[in-house]
């Protein structure tokens, strides 16, 4: 089997289960690593991305709880960088431990990754990504009066700070990542969607208060690397249409055009399956000779051994083995 370049986007369940402690997350990542080494055993080149939603939220709460003139809370871009480091460290060690058990001599490298966004992206004019704790309306109004922060009501559960979610334009460290992959390193990069930065007129980069969608950032990385396979691991084995209805239908093999129609019909939930499907559509459109797969971490071994997940190609031609 020819060696393939694979970008794996890990869902939250690959890192955080019921135990939010560092030890609990390390244990979850050890189980994740046991599944991912199957790709290495096949001889594939592997780049791993991951989310950081719960982790950056917890870190934000810790910063706010200790915030003072002598110990000021860090800004969001720095918190994303810190979670890239901590999760990358845990996953890097977990992967290395599994590789050592199998006597596979591979280097695992974690790269703190910045993602370029446009300072004029419309998302900055309409922040929509909730972060941090819930507040009452009065508390939120008071905070908005004291700062430039924006708070919005969140699904009847209270008011939360919202930040922009701009479109990723480029991965700043892409050449470094490409070189590491060419040297057959396993690379962990673009954690949490990457650290969002804008470029000034003097060509300097500056972090911004924003969150880049992790699935779209992952596909941006996969496209830049011209990956053969973009593998999105989430909580379900397949993508479905008419989900949880009597006529629910599992999608095993699906083209861009078919997904485009399902997207227009509102088949995929915003904030859940929709961004994953959209990221896969964007990837195969940009890389029509490559494939994308959406499945669960638990189903990965079955999929690799000829089982099913949702396999996505740009054209509805003969579907190739992933």
């Amino acid at each position: 089997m020819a060696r393939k370049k694979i970008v794996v986007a890990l869902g939250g369940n690959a890192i955080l289960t019921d135990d939010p402690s560092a030890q609990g997350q390390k244990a979850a990542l050890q189980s994740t690593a046991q599944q991912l080494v199957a790709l290495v055993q096949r001889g594939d080149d592997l780049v791993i991305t991951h989310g950081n939603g719960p982790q950056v939220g917890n870190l934000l709460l810790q910063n706010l709880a200790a915030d003072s003139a002598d110990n000021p809370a860090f800004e969001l871009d720095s918190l994303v960088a810190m979670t890239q480091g901590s999760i990358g460290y845990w996953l890097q060690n977990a992967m290395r431990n599994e590789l050592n058990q199998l006597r596979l001599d591979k280097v695992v490298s974690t790269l703190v990754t910045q993602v370029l966004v446009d300072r004029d992206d419309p998302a900055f004019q309409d922040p929509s990504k909730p972060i941090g704790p819930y507040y009452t309306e009065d508390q939120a109004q008071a905070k908005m009066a004291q700062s430039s922060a924006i708070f919005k009501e969140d699904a009847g559960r209270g008011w939360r700070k919202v930040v922009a979610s701009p479109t990723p334009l480029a991965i700043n460290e892409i050449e470094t990542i490409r070189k590491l992959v060419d040297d057959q390193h396993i690379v962990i990069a673009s954690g949490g969607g990457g650290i969002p930065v804008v470029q000034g007129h003097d060509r300097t980069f500056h972090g911004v208060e924003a969150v880049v969608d992790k699935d779209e950032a992952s596909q941006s990385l996969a496209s830049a690397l011209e990956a053969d396979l973009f593998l999105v691991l989430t909580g379900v084995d397949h993508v479905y249409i008419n989900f949880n209805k009597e006529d629910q239908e599992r999608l095993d093999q699906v083209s861009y055009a078919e997904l485009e129609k399902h997207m227009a019909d509102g088949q995929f939930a915003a904030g859940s399956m929709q961004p994953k499907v959209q990221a896969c559509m964007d990837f195969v459109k940009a890389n029509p000779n490559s494939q994308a797969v959406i499945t669960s971490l638990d189903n990965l071994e079955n999929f690799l051994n000829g089982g099913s997940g949702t396999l996505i190609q740009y054209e509805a031609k003969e579907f190739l083995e992933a």
Side-chain angles (χ1 to χ4, degrees):
M1 183 180 294
R3 195 171 94 203
K4 293 185 177 182
K5 189 182 300 179
I6 302 177
V7 173
V8 178
L10 293 179
N13 62 327
I15 308 169
L16 183 63
T17 52
D18 297 327
D19 183 356
S21 70
Q23 292 303 319
Q25 293 180 76
K26 288 178 185 179
L29 283 167
Q30 198 65 57
S31 297
T32 296
Q34 290 171 1
Q35 306 271 22
L36 293 182
V37 292
L39 295 167
V40 184
Q41 288 177 295
R42 296 199 325 173
D44 296 324
D45 294 327
L46 189 59
V47 178
I48 307 169
T49 72
H50 61 80
N52 72 340
Q55 293 82 5
V56 80
N58 289 342
L59 190 55
L60 176 63
L61 289 175
Q62 293 165 13
N63 271 251
L64 293 175
D67 187 29
S68 68
D70 294 329
N71 185 30
F74 286 6
E75 295 179 339
L76 185 58
D77 57 321
S78 294
L79 299 181
V80 172
M82 293 167 73
T83 56
Q84 279 193 7
S86 59
I87 296 170
Y89 153 60
W90 296 334
L91 180 54
Q92 182 175 323
N93 271 7
M95 288 295 295
R96 191 61 186 269
N97 290 341
E98 288 302 314
L99 292 166
N100 286 344
Q101 290 289 324
L102 295 170
R103 307 233 187 277
L104 292 172
D105 186 20
K106 298 284 287 187
V107 178
V108 187
S109 303
T110 299
L111 191 66
V112 174
T113 312
Q114 300 176 67
V115 173
L116 181 66
V117 300
D118 187 348
R119 63 172 64 252
D120 296 322
D121 191 301
F124 287 108
Q125 304 304 315
D126 184 24
S128 60
K129 180 69 174 179
I131 62 169
Y134 291 93
Y135 295 97
T136 67
E137 182 175 358
D138 289 344
Q139 289 172 325
Q141 294 292 348
K143 287 183 175 295
M144 284 191 283
Q146 296 167 1
S147 70
S148 60
I150 298 174
F151 288 73
K152 292 183 179 180
E153 197 273 333
D154 184 10
R157 294 172 293 185
W159 287 61
R160 297 176 75 190
K161 181 178 177 178
V162 290
V163 298
S165 185
T167 299
L169 300 178
I171 310 293
N172 278 11
E173 291 75 21
I174 189 61
E175 291 306 323
T176 303
I177 297 169
R178 185 176 286 116
K179 186 175 189 316
L180 290 169
V181 173
D182 288 345
D183 289 341
Q184 297 186 40
H185 288 219
I186 297 169
V187 184
I188 302 165
S190 197
I195 305 161
V197 297
V198 296
Q199 188 171 23
H201 298 300
D202 58 356
R203 300 183 62 80
T204 58
F205 292 100
H206 307 277
V208 290
E209 186 87 345
V211 173
V212 178
D213 180 80
K214 64 181 177 59
D215 297 308
E216 198 56 44
S218 297
Q219 85 78 20
S220 181
L221 175 60
S223 290
L225 291 173
E226 298 180 323
D228 300 295
L229 179 65
F230 178 42
L231 179 55
V232 179
L233 298 179
T234 185
V236 292
D237 295 352
H238 301 84
V239 178
Y240 293 85
I241 57 174
N242 303 321
F243 186 62
N244 276 342
K245 297 179 180 178
E246 289 186 2
D247 57 346
Q248 173 178 290
E249 181 182 344
R250 189 176 88 180
L251 300 179
D252 288 321
Q253 298 177 341
V254 61
S255 69
Y256 178 93
E258 291 171 301
L259 282 178
E260 189 175 42
K261 180 180 183 304
H262 293 321
M263 189 76 77
D265 291 340
Q267 284 286 351
F268 310 119
S272 178
M273 190 55 73
Q274 185 186 61
K276 295 171 177 55
V277 171
Q278 185 64 61
C280 289
M281 290 174 63
D282 292 343
F283 174 73
V284 296
K285 184 177 182 179
N287 305 271
N289 293 320
S290 299
Q291 297 174 312
V293 171
I294 300 176
T295 191
S296 69
L297 181 65
D298 291 339
N299 190 54
L300 179 59
E301 181 179 3
N302 173 58
F303 175 77
L304 294 176
N305 290 324
S308 66
T310 297
L311 178 63
I312 301 159
Q313 292 185 172
Y314 185 66
E315 294 182 355
K317 56 186 178 182
E318 180 180 355
F319 276 80
L320 306 174
E321 181 183 353

